[in-house]
Amino acid sequence: MKAFPVPTLQRIALAAFSLACLVFFGWACWKGLWFLSFCDEGEHLLGGQMLNEGGRLYVTYIDSHGPAIFMLTQLYGAVFGWHFPQGARLFLIVLALLAAVSISITPALSDRRHRLLASLIFLGSLASYWLMDAFYMVSFYPVAGLITVGLLALFAVPTWLNKAPPPPRSARSQEAVSCWFWPALTPTGREWH
């Protein structure tokens, strides 16, 4: 019997690992859609619903989290309605996939295989905590964490390694993301007065 050449064996192992990580992530996301809720998630969904009905954040609806989570829930309500509020958890899946894409296109890793493995390891490890640490919930913390992963992969880590981001992702896009990211995730300070 003839042995597989090493590159073919590596491709088979990479394909099996890729499939295992993606299936595991998909299973965790599916379970997360129907898993238990927490009071913070209900407050964020209620805040988004009130904003859709004309309310004003921090005036008619007070919460200590920044406006980013309410922007997402308001967008969900405006597009899909409020007949299935747990569907807003799909935003977390989209953010997780965008964070994985950010890892897969980071200039910090030079080899295509390394980028693929890094993004798959990210998704697989995220799936292992998806239900246990409530990453599936419409909450401030998973949203902030997943956006931070994307920003670190695209901008911070390449800069630390002296690998400049390509021109489309250079200073202008960093400024644009930072201008939205930091004010959107930080509380307004009204609750401290």
Side-chain angles (χ1 to χ4, degrees):
M1 183 170 170
K2 190 175 178 183
F4 285 113
V6 173
T8 304
L9 187 60
Q10 286 179 351
R11 286 187 182 127
I12 291 170
L14 183 61
F17 181 72
S18 301
L19 184 64
C21 286
L22 292 174
V23 166
F24 186 43
F25 181 73
W27 175 82
C29 291
W30 177 254
K31 288 289 191 182
L33 280 176
W34 313 105
F35 212 60
L36 302 172
S37 187
F38 184 66
C39 62
D40 277 0
E41 183 180 37
E43 291 173 3
H44 297 146
L45 293 169
L46 180 63
Q49 188 174 10
M50 288 190 66
L51 291 173
N52 279 342
E53 294 174 1
R56 291 183 55 206
L57 192 57
Y58 308 116
V59 176
T60 56
Y61 186 78
I62 308 289
D63 193 66
S64 62
H65 293 144
I69 193 69
F70 299 108
M71 290 178 197
L72 291 175
T73 55
Q74 181 185 17
L75 177 64
Y76 171 78
V79 173
F80 300 107
W82 291 104
H83 61 277
F84 181 60
Q86 283 181 311
R89 292 178 177 181
L90 293 172
F91 277 122
L92 279 298
I93 298 169
V94 169
L95 284 176
L97 292 174
L98 287 175
V101 167
S102 298
I103 293 170
S104 71
I105 63 172
T106 182
L109 298 172
S110 56
D111 188 69
R112 187 178 70 187
R113 216 174 351 172
H114 295 157
R115 291 177 180 176
L116 176 64
L117 280 173
S119 60
L120 289 171
I121 289 170
F122 170 74
L123 284 177
S125 60
L126 185 65
S128 66
Y129 285 95
W130 194 259
L131 298 176
M132 185 172 64
D133 285 343
F135 290 157
Y136 61 89
M137 282 192 199
V138 180
S139 180
F140 169 79
Y141 302 105
V143 168
L146 293 170
I147 292 173
T148 301
V149 166
L151 292 176
L152 285 172
L154 292 176
F155 305 120
V157 174
T159 304
W160 294 335
L161 298 174
N162 290 327
K163 295 183 179 184
R169 291 182 268 153
S170 62
R172 290 274 184 229
S173 58
Q174 290 178 13
E175 291 169 6
V177 169
S178 296
C179 287
W180 178 83
F181 177 68
W182 295 115
L185 294 177
T186 56
T188 61
R190 291 178 189 248
E191 64 276 337
W192 305 112
H193 294 266

